[in-house]
Amino acid sequence: MAFEFGVAQDCDVARASMIASAFRKQGKPVVLVVVGAGVHAGHCALIRAARRIPGSVVIVAAHDSVAQHDVAAERVDAVARYSDHSLWPHGLRGGVMVNDNGMEDPELLRVDASRILALVGAIGPSDLVLGEKDYELLVNVQQAVTDLHIPVTIHSVPTVRMPDGVAISLRNTMIPVEYREQALALAAAVTAGAHAAEAGQEAVCAVVREVLQASGVVPDFVKVTALNLGPAPQVGDARLFAGITLGGVRLTDNVGLPLGIGFKNIENPSA
């Protein structure tokens, strides 16, 4: 089958590997975007970021259940079909070690990180695009790539949000209608918390809890970490995480913040 750019050529992972190898030999960047069992605006933002890399060949790794037209509109070059069984015919044996920070389910995080790295290994892209919505996943994949000397460059894309501030994700679509208004409180809480960054970590967490409690929501966790998910610095770039459960659905959100500096002093930390 002749290769055509921009037509979302449907193929299996082996065929995608051949395409990636051919173009990498020509010096072209081959950019991989991994989507799950559904495609939403957040995934489209990842694909568009991949297409902005000059001269890139964009391959989307899509679960078998994803319809081709869901990604074809973004004019990607190839759609590599996968399932967990095709990646791990004998099951996932071991998998990637991940940081257990008490935020995301560590087993789910381990499987997701292992799936992305398996696709990177099988397809062989030069670049990988991930979203900051799943910030823990992003950091764990980056650490694995670094520690295992995997030759791929990771690019991150900011969280895509709806007009009401709610982060776009497949999980958020599962929220029962009666909890929708309360769900808005999570994005509002992390935004308010970030704007308390100048006062330090404790003040940030206190603001998040206050906003959530004012909406009648009890947080599952509120945490500030370093960018690498380690202990938060006294002063410097950090990441704020919060999670709630509504109608049996666990929602998480995160934002970056200049801890101990504050946004108003971001251009002059000594002020």
Side-chain angles (χ1 to χ4, degrees):
M1 181 188 300
F3 184 81
E4 293 183 58
F5 291 101
V7 299
Q9 185 177 109
D10 224 23
C11 60
D12 59 16
V13 169
R15 169 69 175 166
S17 176
M18 293 174 59
I19 293 170
S21 177
F23 284 110
R24 288 193 67 169
K25 288 176 180 177
Q26 297 175 33
K28 280 184 169 291
V30 178
V31 191
L32 178 65
V33 179
V34 180
V35 301
V39 179
H40 53 63
H43 294 131
C44 292
L46 303 184
I47 293 170
R48 291 167 190 171
R51 289 179 56 210
R52 285 195 291 269
I53 296 175
S56 64
V57 176
V58 178
I59 299 176
V60 172
H63 191 273
D64 285 338
S65 61
V66 174
Q68 185 181 20
H69 63 75
D70 288 340
V71 290
E74 296 299 324
R75 296 189 58 77
V76 301
D77 299 307
V79 180
R81 297 294 181 174
Y82 74 89
S83 66
D84 284 353
H85 178 71
S86 66
L87 290 177
W88 307 308
H90 303 291
L92 178 57
R93 297 176 290 192
V96 180
M97 293 184 63
V98 299
N99 292 309
D100 182 2
N101 289 284
M103 294 181 288
E104 281 290 356
D105 177 348
E107 178 59 21
L108 178 62
L109 188 60
R110 182 181 75 91
V111 173
D112 287 346
S114 298
R115 182 182 298 114
I116 290 172
L117 290 168
L119 287 164
V120 168
I123 295 174
S126 60
D127 299 80
L128 171 68
V129 178
L130 297 174
E132 293 182 4
K133 169 64 180 72
D134 300 311
Y135 190 83
E136 287 179 88
L137 179 62
L138 167 65
V139 171
N140 277 282
V141 170
Q142 178 64 77
Q143 290 174 343
V145 163
T146 300
D147 292 348
L148 299 176
H149 303 278
I150 299 173
V152 66
T153 299
I154 296 178
H155 308 266
S156 63
V157 176
T159 301
V160 177
R161 298 181 182 275
M162 290 184 274
D164 57 16
V166 174
I168 295 177
S169 73
L170 294 176
R171 193 183 301 178
N172 285 346
T173 64
M174 300 165 59
I175 305 168
V177 175
E178 61 268 30
Y179 293 104
R180 181 65 189 177
E181 187 171 340
Q182 285 183 303
L184 301 178
L186 182 58
V190 295
T191 299
H195 281 86
E198 185 177 358
Q201 179 177 342
E202 291 185 6
V204 168
C205 293
V207 168
V208 173
R209 292 191 178 94
E210 288 170 6
V211 173
L212 291 174
Q213 289 168 2
S215 300
V217 179
V218 178
D220 295 337
F221 65 86
V222 179
K223 190 168 186 176
V224 179
T225 74
L227 295 184
N228 65 357
L229 303 180
Q234 292 293 318
V235 177
D237 290 331
R239 203 80 189 180
L240 166 62
F241 299 84
I244 61 177
T245 299
L246 297 174
V249 180
R250 193 186 200 195
L251 308 179
T252 62
D253 205 343
N254 69 88
V255 294
L257 70 163
L259 199 60
I261 299 171
F263 292 104
K264 66 181 181 181
N265 296 320
I266 196 71
E267 295 181 359
N268 184 16
S270 63

